[in-house]
Amino acid sequence: MGYIKKDFEQSSLKFLEAIKKDKISIPDSVFSKKLTAFETLVKYLKENIGLSFSEIAKLTKRDARNMWHTYDIAKKKLKERFIVKEYEFLIPISIFSNRKLSIQENLVFYFKEEFKLSYHKIATLIHRDDRTIWTVYQKARKKYGTK
């Protein structure tokens, strides 16, 4: 699979518009034990989608310098590029722009609220412990003010 961004090379504006409309998503199969959710997101968007650090920063509403640092760490932990295998869910990039929540909290909250998945199912999808998922979801709920 080539860079998705090349399909939109006529205009960066068209590319950013496609992202806003959730035409570009993250497959659940890229998450692993080796990388944090944030590292996975940055590495996937940089290497597989072809976004710049500033574009990733705009999408996630985070500092561009943090993107470079996170990518550098992720690259050291996992040198090879993600090979997208079969996946169950495609996660829209837009969910990661909520600054109230961390990247992992956004991800867990999305799976729990949108698909009503069990803690165990979410844990299996993103390769984390069930108890970690429960804790992350509880923190996200408190930040959102939902019960």
Side-chain angles (χ1 to χ4, degrees):
M1 179 167 111
Y3 287 105
I4 294 172
K5 191 173 179 180
K6 285 184 182 177
D7 297 339
F8 296 92
E9 275 185 5
Q10 316 89 340
S11 162
S12 288
L13 191 59
K14 281 184 181 180
F15 181 65
L16 291 174
E17 199 59 39
I19 290 170
K20 286 179 186 171
K21 292 179 181 174
D22 284 335
K23 290 184 179 177
I24 298 173
S25 301
I26 312 298
D28 61 25
S29 63
V30 299
F31 292 93
S32 70
K33 286 183 181 180
K34 291 181 180 181
L35 302 177
T36 67
F38 192 30
E39 291 166 348
T40 300
L41 179 67
V42 172
K43 186 169 171 35
Y44 181 80
L45 291 175
K46 178 71 177 155
E47 294 179 0
N48 292 65
I49 305 294
L51 297 181
S52 69
F53 294 125
S54 62
E55 289 170 326
I56 298 168
K58 285 177 189 172
L59 287 171
T60 59
K61 296 186 179 171
R62 284 158 172 85
D63 191 300
R65 292 169 295 192
N66 196 16
M67 297 304 118
W68 179 87
H69 180 68
T70 302
Y71 176 71
D72 191 49
I73 292 169
K75 211 169 54 174
K76 288 174 184 170
K77 289 182 183 179
L78 186 69
K79 295 190 187 322
E80 63 273 2
R81 194 170 142 180
F82 292 114
I83 297 170
V84 180
K85 302 173 193 165
E86 290 182 31
Y87 55 85
E88 268 187 77
F89 298 96
L90 283 173
I91 303 133
I93 292 175
S94 62
I95 70 154
F96 299 108
S97 65
N98 179 356
R99 284 283 294 153
K100 279 186 177 179
L101 305 178
S102 71
I103 297 297
Q104 186 165 315
E105 288 169 343
N106 276 311
L107 183 61
V108 170
F109 195 79
Y110 174 75
F111 278 138
K112 192 74 177 147
E113 296 295 315
E114 189 71 25
F115 299 106
K116 308 293 185 223
L117 298 179
S118 69
Y119 298 119
H120 179 72
K121 178 65 175 175
I122 297 168
T124 302
L125 285 171
I126 63 172
H127 305 280
R128 298 292 182 265
D129 188 85
D130 295 25
R131 295 166 292 191
T132 301
I133 299 304
W134 183 88
T135 303
V136 168
Y137 181 68
Q138 297 310 314
K139 285 181 182 179
R141 280 182 48 211
K142 281 183 184 174
K143 288 179 183 180
Y144 250 110
T146 60
K147 295 184 179 188

